[in-house]
Structure formats: C-alpha cells, structure tokens
Amino acid sequence: PYKHQVNARMEMAKALLAGTNLPIAVIATRVGYAQHPAFAAAFLRTTGTNPSKYRIAYHQATAGGAR
C-alpha cells in the first residue's frame, strides 16, 4: 500500500515535470509532500535521478526526437 502510494505520487510528479514549467516545490506540494527536500529524496530513491535532472533529460529527449 505505501509503496503503491509513493509510486503513484512519482508518476504524477513525472507527468508534471514533463508537461509543465511549475517549480519543483509546487509539484512537491501537488503530489502530497509538505517539504520539497522530502519529495526530492523520494523522487531520487524511486527514479534514480533528482527532479530537475529528470525534467532536463525529458525535454532533451523529446526535443531530440522531434527533429
């Protein structure tokens, strides 16, 4: 149950990171974290990268595929 909740939050966070320019602190709040550092740590544990690097990598990958 807890792991499922964390995974659902991270999937939502990935969608927000990829599809919006919202600040990471705002995304953290939207997916249920009161503290940005707690969100960043959970995101790193779950995905293997931090939120800002995920956003950059996502946009680079999609920009590269659009050419």
Side-chain angles (χ1 to χ4, degrees):
Y2 175 75
K3 202 171 199 179
H4 175 74
Q5 181 183 27
V6 171
N7 287 337
R9 287 177 172 185
M10 294 305 120
E11 289 303 313
M12 183 186 227
K14 288 195 279 188
L16 290 169
L17 287 165
T20 72
N21 289 322
L22 290 171
I24 293 169
V26 172
I27 292 172
T29 302
R30 287 203 181 174
V31 299
Y33 286 86
Q35 301 287 327
H36 170 262
F39 165 70
F43 193 90
L44 179 61
R45 265 193 318 275
T46 305
T47 66
T49 190
N50 68 45
S52 56
K53 286 183 182 177
Y54 177 86
R55 177 178 268 166
I56 291 166
Y58 177 85
H59 288 288
Q60 287 176 341
T62 58
R67 291 179 188 180

